[in-house]
Amino acid sequence: MPELPEVETVRRGLDRILVGKQILSVDVLNDKTLQFAHTDLNTFVIGAKVVAVRRRAKMLIIDLDSDYSLLVHLKMTGQMVWRGAESWAAGHPNDSMVGDLPDRTTRIIFNFDDGQLFFNDQRKFGWIRLYPTNTLSDTPELAKLGPEPLTSDPTISFLRRIRRHPRTSIKAAILNQQVIVGVGNIYADESLWLAKVHPQTRVEGLSDDELLHLLECIQKSLQAGLNSGGSTMRNYVRVDGTRGNYLDKFAHVYGREGEPCDRCGHEIIKIKVAGRGTHICPNCQKLR
DNA sequence: CTAGGATCCTGTCAGC
DNA sequence: TGCTGACAGGATCCTA
């Protein structure tokens, strides 16, 4: 799914398009996606205007002038698509970004007077919840999260939090949102390659300096993803109309098994770590 | 605390 | 062609 760079790309688009607009109605095409009392739609959502669109970890926060906020998680296959005078899409890249909507992946539709916002999610893991804006930071979803890697200084918090898991693999540790937020399977692999750390290395086997260097590599990888525009309609459809892969713009190892390492030329291999497909250069990333 | 597996879903792809 | 199993950018829950 969308990791931090993709969710932040969604956030920027929604903030630009939605702020100041009023939600006229909501169509619920999949009951389980909207995870709050549906009667609350009438009380706190319909008729409200969007005040701001924020992000925490991999979640979107749509603040409404009812003093309630929609909390959105795209999980593996969630995407947001705006259709109005302008057409815009970001999140999980697939044909729903460019085809007629609603389609079979559409779960929720927010209707505005000048357009529609589609929440599409093929696998139905994604969800939308509703909380009073001033209670958000105390919710189970947000309360225990680790620091943001690209805003504020995460170093002290990161070190303290990752040291709580001395015997876990470094890959599992950086995927843990209570240690550092925003890292998913792609950016975990990219960061570990950049830092030349084998994903199965135990946390206790790395010094503070090595962990902080890895943190810098996490920040660099996430920033590279963000700079390439996350996964948006623009980079999903190439100029010639064919389908593109935004990973090509920055990925060194993810999805590149069998290809040569950009640094040493050794063949990239795919293994399994922490239950996830994991891409490494076995020459650059040796298990000590 | 930790590893591993199952789970929530739908779709695609490789191999037979 | 059809079938089967593995796998997919997330996260939680359970067992051992």
Side-chain angles (χ1 to χ4, degrees):
Chain A
M1 115 120 177
E3 305 179 36
L4 186 151
E6 291 74 46
V7 180
E8 176 61 18
T9 300
V10 174
R11 185 201 71 76
R12 291 177 184 183
L14 292 185
D15 195 62
R16 177 176 60 81
I17 293 167
L18 297 184
V19 168
K21 288 187 164 74
Q22 184 179 31
I23 300 171
L24 299 184
S25 63
V26 179
D27 298 326
V28 181
L29 281 61
N30 186 65
D31 277 353
K32 292 178 76 174
T33 303
L34 201 74
Q35 298 186 350
F36 56 91
H38 293 203
T39 52
D40 283 349
L41 276 176
N42 300 313
T43 321
F44 303 114
V45 179
I46 293 165
K49 286 182 181 173
V50 176
V51 173
V53 182
R54 297 181 286 152
R55 179 190 58 76
R56 176 74 173 109
K58 300 173 191 172
M59 287 170 279
L60 293 161
I61 300 167
I62 302 174
D63 292 322
L64 305 176
D65 68 357
S66 58
D67 291 332
Y68 274 68
S69 298
L70 293 163
L71 185 64
V72 181
H73 203 311
L74 303 174
K75 288 293 183 89
M76 299 281 266
T77 56
Q79 72 182 187
M80 290 290 193
V81 183
W82 171 260
R83 294 288 167 80
E86 171 197 8
S87 193
W88 167 94
H92 179 68
N94 64 24
D95 285 352
S96 298
M97 279 184 167
V98 290
D100 289 339
L101 293 178
D103 67 9
R104 60 183 169 174
T105 73
T106 304
R107 309 304 175 200
I108 307 288
I109 307 172
F110 295 91
N111 297 294
F112 296 81
D113 64 7
D114 62 344
Q116 292 179 296
L117 179 67
F118 296 87
F119 176 48
N120 299 331
D121 178 22
Q122 177 180 128
R123 291 175 73 179
K124 299 183 180 173
F125 293 167
W127 46 254
I128 300 179
R129 296 172 186 162
L130 182 72
Y131 288 106
T133 304
N134 64 6
T135 68
L136 269 176
S137 58
D138 299 320
T139 61
E141 297 86 344
L142 300 197
K144 294 185 173 178
L145 290 173
E148 286 285 336
L150 297 185
T151 52
S152 79
D153 181 2
T155 54
I156 304 299
S157 178
F158 170 74
L159 265 191
R160 179 165 25 90
R161 287 164 176 269
I162 202 166
R163 288 296 185 200
R164 290 176 195 163
H165 307 277
R167 280 169 293 284
T168 199
S169 69
I170 188 63
K171 175 160 178 174
I174 62 174
L175 285 172
N176 184 344
Q177 301 298 295
Q178 296 186 27
V179 169
I180 184 85
V181 303
V183 179
N185 206 34
I186 293 176
Y187 295 95
D189 285 2
E190 292 299 314
S191 307
L192 290 163
W193 177 84
L194 206 55
K196 299 187 182 177
V197 173
H198 191 288
Q200 278 167 328
T201 310
R202 296 212 280 180
V203 171
E204 65 185 356
L206 294 164
S207 68
D208 282 4
D209 281 352
E210 287 171 321
L211 288 173
L212 291 178
H213 178 243
L214 173 59
L215 176 59
E216 285 178 24
C217 292
I218 289 171
Q219 293 170 314
K220 277 184 193 169
S221 303
L222 292 171
Q223 191 62 54
L226 195 49
N227 292 346
S228 80
S231 48
T232 58
M233 193 162 63
R234 278 182 66 134
N235 58 35
Y236 175 61
V237 182
R238 294 203 188 96
V239 178
D240 63 6
T242 61
R243 305 298 189 247
N245 182 355
Y246 84 114
L247 287 173
D248 296 343
K249 295 183 182 177
F250 67 87
H252 294 285
V253 284
Y254 191 87
R256 293 200 149 175
E257 58 268 34
E259 295 178 35
C261 172
D262 289 340
R263 227 169 11 213
C264 75
H266 195 289
E267 185 177 330
I268 303 298
I269 62 166
K270 187 174 179 183
I271 59 177
K272 185 157 274 204
V273 179
R276 314 289 301 275
T278 299
H279 311 72
I280 64 168
C281 169
N283 185 46
C284 294
Q285 297 165 270
K286 294 202 169 83
L287 193 55
R288 288 181 280 132

